[in-house]
Amino acid sequence: AQSVSQHNHHVILSEAASLELGCNYSYGGTVNLFWYVQYPGQHLQLLLKYFSGDPLVKGIKGFEAEFIKSKFSFNLRKPSVQWSDTAEYFCAVNARGGYQKVTFGTGTKLQVIP
Amino acid sequence: DAGVIQSPRHEVTEMGQEVTLRCKPISGHNSLFWYRQTMMRGLELLIYFNNNVPIDDSGMPEDRFSAKMPNASFSTLKIQPSEPRDSAVYFCASSRTGPPDEQYFGPGTRLTVT
């Protein structure tokens, strides 16, 4: 069964700082990878996803993530964060094929200080 | 589109009582998911349905939990009897075609069992 680890539970950054949130998954086969975000008072929503092709994926609001197969990682990055990026970020993995469920990590709370 | 609708938004109940959470997925979506979010375990999939049929219920904690989807526009998650350790936020999500398609989450039901 697949699993996901997010090592940073709470991150605090100042505006304009660069962001990198770690995500590692465990699964021996081919996977699809996702980052979801939950802004304060809003629903969880998809930020970006990787299915195949270019391992550098760009999402909404200037976020990007890079799939490094050899490291089983899918870290989320943003060169310059804004106060409005304050949210909880969830990495998720889905093993390809059939009705494979999506497994979420425990989430990272990002707080951006103005 | 109204999005995924969940009710109630908050539920406070006493240990031993039955609790029923409700979800209306987005019209046209054929997959529905129930998740539980806690500080300790993050976002856990409890069960997911495809075309009203339960596909993966391996995350249902124990026999006290049951879920039904009698038609394409309605699902329930029932806990009977409830226990304090069931206190969590319960999310419902739907997607057009099932994993790995994007999941659209509802606002969640915050359950407190005293």
Side-chain angles (χ1 to χ4, degrees):
Chain A
Q2 68 261 29
S3 64
V4 181
S5 294
Q6 291 182 248
H7 306 295
N8 308 106
H9 297 295
H10 197 179
V11 173
I12 301 174
L13 295 173
S14 298
E15 274 193 317
S18 64
L19 169 72
E20 181 160 5
L21 300 182
C23 172
N24 288 91
Y25 70 92
S26 174
Y27 184 71
T30 307
V31 297
N32 301 306
L33 295 156
F34 312 82
W35 277 97
Y36 278 79
V37 60
Q38 186 173 26
Y39 296 102
Q42 296 188 26
H43 304 181
L44 242 97
Q45 58 186 282
L46 183 67
L47 192 59
L48 52 77
K49 61 187 178 185
Y50 171 80
F51 287 178
S52 63
D54 189 343
L56 184 61
V57 180
K58 295 191 184 299
I60 59 173
K61 303 187 179 185
F63 285 90
E64 64 179 31
E66 185 175 12
F67 171 48
I68 302 179
K69 189 174 181 180
S70 61
K71 295 185 178 180
F72 297 89
S73 70
F74 190 56
N75 292 355
L76 181 70
R77 299 194 296 248
K78 186 172 184 179
S80 176
V81 295
Q82 301 172 314
W83 176 78
S84 58
D85 295 324
T86 294
E88 189 162 15
Y89 294 82
F90 294 88
C91 183
V93 65
N94 152 251
R96 288 207 202 146
Y99 292 99
Q100 299 293 331
K101 66 183 180 183
V102 176
T103 299
F104 284 79
T106 51
T108 298
K109 289 185 178 178
L110 171 66
Q111 183 180 355
V112 180
I113 301 170
Chain B
D1 195 332
V4 175
I5 299 172
Q6 290 187 248
S7 65
R9 293 292 306 275
H10 301 272
E11 176 80 32
V12 180
T13 190
E14 292 183 347
M15 183 174 63
Q17 296 298 305
E18 177 180 297
V19 175
T20 299
L21 311 182
R22 296 173 177 81
C23 176
K24 177 177 168 54
I26 293 172
S27 177
H29 284 192
N30 73 3
S31 290
L32 182 140
F33 309 82
W34 282 102
Y35 290 92
R36 177 173 66 178
Q37 184 181 30
T38 60
M39 291 287 289
M40 293 299 296
R41 300 171 70 93
L43 197 61
E44 303 173 274
L45 177 69
L46 300 176
I47 186 170
Y48 95 82
F49 295 86
N50 184 267
N51 290 322
N52 312 335
V53 176
I55 299 298
D56 187 335
D57 64 355
S58 58
M60 295 287 266
E62 49 200 271
D63 291 346
R64 297 185 299 107
F65 284 68
S66 63
K68 293 183 180 179
M69 191 163 186
N71 57 61
S73 59
F74 184 65
S75 177
T76 59
L77 177 68
K78 185 177 293 186
I79 308 172
Q80 166 64 18
S82 58
E83 297 182 2
R85 61 189 167 124
D86 301 330
S87 298
V89 180
Y90 291 80
F91 289 102
C92 177
S94 70
S95 67
R96 286 188 182 87
T97 61
D101 195 24
E102 178 177 357
Q103 295 182 28
Y104 294 80
F105 283 77
T109 294
R110 183 173 294 277
L111 173 65
T112 302
V113 183
T114 60

